[in-house]
């Protein structure tokens, strides 16, 4: 059973969190401060530590340096996002803003503990500094990427076929080139083929070549891409888009190590290392007859799975900073840096386009920026998917968070959520309608009315003109 330590001085929050986690199958221990956690437990015995940022005596971030390999998830109020970002720089695996809804907490805990289990089960080795020098484009040190580095390092010196799986934009071609660079074929060609970009009628002639007169328009002999990669590496991107007829010929090449040009009666031996990549589930496609099962097993000698950017934790900041520096250098612009809100946007956005989208976002921001500060409003992303402090400095609470949680939250002045509602309504009801107040607070008009009743705040009567 996964074991979690919660460190929180507010008894109400600690109890509610313990109840939520235990209800979903986790073993939970508690502490009210950093000192109590260190005195009562061996932090290495846990799969995850969930700690509030502000604790009596010492901040929750003090647990990061003492937790060893155990990941630390920091809880913080919306008004303390700057500190949350600093926590990630100190080594926290992630942060979660309070008040949080139950689903968000459970999803975050599941993601972190699964990655931690993966780290333990695979006995991931540390990659030497020389490896990173040899592969300067590979950035990130989260647990799933360490697993990728391990598999690259172990498989590269061999000649086994490799299947790289990952969403679009996760860097599959970069990994293929890294494998080639670390192999004994590094001084030979690496030929990259996007199977989805070649028309179905041309794919076989592109891969295998053809003899003069083999078909209309074949005016000369032409070598194929497989032959061009002889003694080197052939990278077949989007292999799942390859037509079944071409799959059959590719299978023979993998089995026999020989090819035959279209229109030729002679075969020739070739020595080619094959790396394939896809974002599709080839095993499922093979079971439906949409991809040859025998070809799938030939390619899948070694599978390397690339994590999506949203699952790479603090790697996002490292990659974004790397892109920022390179883009500034390329455009001859002064060294720039991200604002706190830009960092929040980078670390809370879902990144459906993965690393490719992140690179494009950073390049666009650098082009549009008029100063050395890169703020979030320069990012061309869906801001509805980003958690940010409101621009006037107040804390904005969504309806889901307000309705699903009874946990206390604090802003800069230490106000409870109820205090915050009361202060906000009293300060703004003269200038704002009930609809505007409800929208600003992130609740419905009915919820606003109910809170007025509970807090004893009558609606401001409309002024009437004298007779």
């Amino acid at each position: 059973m996964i074991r979690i330590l919660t460190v929180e001085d507010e008894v109400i929050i600690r109890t509610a969190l313990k109840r939520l986690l235990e209800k979903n199958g986790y073993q939970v221990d508690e502490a009210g401060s950093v000192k109590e956690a260190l005195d009562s437990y061996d932090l290495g015995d846990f799969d995850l530590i969930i700690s509030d940022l502000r604790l009596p005596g010492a901040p929750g971030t003090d647990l990061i340096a003492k937790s060893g390999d155990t990941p630390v998830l920091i809880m913080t109020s919306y008004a303390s996002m700057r500190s949350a970002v600093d926590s990630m720089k100190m080594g926290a695996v992630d942060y979660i803003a309070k008040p949080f809804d139950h689903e968000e907490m459970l999803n975050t805990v599941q993601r972190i503990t699964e990655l931690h289990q993966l780290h333990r089960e695979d006995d991931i080795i540390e990659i030497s500094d020389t490896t990173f020098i040899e592969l300067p484009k590979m950035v990130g040190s989260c647990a799933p990427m360490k697993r990728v580095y391990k598999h690259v390092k172990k498989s590269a010196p061999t000649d086994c076929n490799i299947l790289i799986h990952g969403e679009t934009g996760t860097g599959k071609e970069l990994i293929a080139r890294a494998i080639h660079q670390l192999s004994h074929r590094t001084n030979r060609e690496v030929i990259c083929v996007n199977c989805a970009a070649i028309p179905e009628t041309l794919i076989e002639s592109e891969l295998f070549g053809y003899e003069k007169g083999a078909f209309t328009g074949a005016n000369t002999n032409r070598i194929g891409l497989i032959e061009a990669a002889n003694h080197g590496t052939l990278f077949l991107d989007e292999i799942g888009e390859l037509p079944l007829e071409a799959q059959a010929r590719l299978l023979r090449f993998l089995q026999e190590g020989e090819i035959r040009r279209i229109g030729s009666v002679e075969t020739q031996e070739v020595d080619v290392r094959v790396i394939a990549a896809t974002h599709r589930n080839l095993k499922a496609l093979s079971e439906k007859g949409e991809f040859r099962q025998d070809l799938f097993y030939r390619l899948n000698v070694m599978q390397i799975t690339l994590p999506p950017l949203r699952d790479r934790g603090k790697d996002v900041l490292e990659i974004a900073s790397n892109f920022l520096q390179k883009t500034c250098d390329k455009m001859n612009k002064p060294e720039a840096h991200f604002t706190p809100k830009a960092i929040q946007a980078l670390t809370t956005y879902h990144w459906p386009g993965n690393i490719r989208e992140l690179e494009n976002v950073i390049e666009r921001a650098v082009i549009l920026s008029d100063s050395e500060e890169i703020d979030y409003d320069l990012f061309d992303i869906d801001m509805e998917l980003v958690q940010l402090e409101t621009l006037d400095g107040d804390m904005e609470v969504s309806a889901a968070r307000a309705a699903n949680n009874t946990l206390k939250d604090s802003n800069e002045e230490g106000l409870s959520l109820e205090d915050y509602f009361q202060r906000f309504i009293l300060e703004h009801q003269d200038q704002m309608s009930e609809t505007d107040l409800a929208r600003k607070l992130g609740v419905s008009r009915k919820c606003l009315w109910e809170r007025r009743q509970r807090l004893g705040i009558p609606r401001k009567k409309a002024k009437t003109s004298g007779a």
Side-chain angles (χ1 to χ4, degrees), residues 2 13 22 29 55 94 116 123 148 187 277 308 388 409 416 462:
I2 293 175
I13 298 177
E22 289 182 338
D29 293 283
L55 292 169
D94 208 342
H116 183 56
D123 189 26
V148 170
N187 294 323
L388 285 176
D409 185 50
S416 69

Side-chain angles (χ1 to χ4, degrees), residues 369-388:
S369 177
D370 294 323
S371 69
E372 296 177 4
E373 281 196 337
I374 304 295
D375 205 358
Y376 75 97
D377 58 354
L378 298 177
F379 297 156
D380 186 20
I381 58 178
D382 187 353
M383 297 307 296
E384 292 184 359
L385 301 179
V386 173
Q387 298 174 6
L388 285 176

Side-chain angles (χ1 to χ4, degrees), residues 41-83:
Y41 305 103
D42 180 353
L43 301 187
D45 292 339
F46 295 95
D47 296 285
L48 173 64
I49 298 170
I50 305 176
S51 176
D52 191 19
L53 181 62
R54 298 177 180 176
L55 292 169
T61 49
D62 281 11
L63 292 168
I64 297 173
K66 301 179 183 299
S67 64
D69 293 331
T70 303
V72 178
L73 172 65
I74 294 293
M75 297 186 295
T76 180
S77 68
Y78 273 98
S80 302
M81 280 300 180
R82 187 189 299 270
S83 299

Side-chain angles (χ1 to χ4, degrees), residues 212-249:
K212 180 179 179 180
F215 50 81
T216 302
N219 299 321
T220 60
N221 293 341
R222 181 177 177 180
I223 68 170
L225 295 172
I226 296 177
E227 189 176 345
N230 196 21
H231 302 297
T233 301
L234 177 69
F235 174 56
L236 298 174
D237 197 9
E238 300 299 345
I239 187 72
E241 311 303 322
L242 199 64
L244 288 172
E245 294 80 2
Q247 290 179 30
R249 293 198 64 174

Side-chain angles (χ1 to χ4, degrees), residues 182-197:
L182 290 176
S183 73
H184 63 86
R185 300 172 184 264
T186 185
N187 294 323
R188 298 285 186 167
E189 289 290 326
V190 53
I191 303 295
C192 299
V193 183
N194 188 332
C195 299

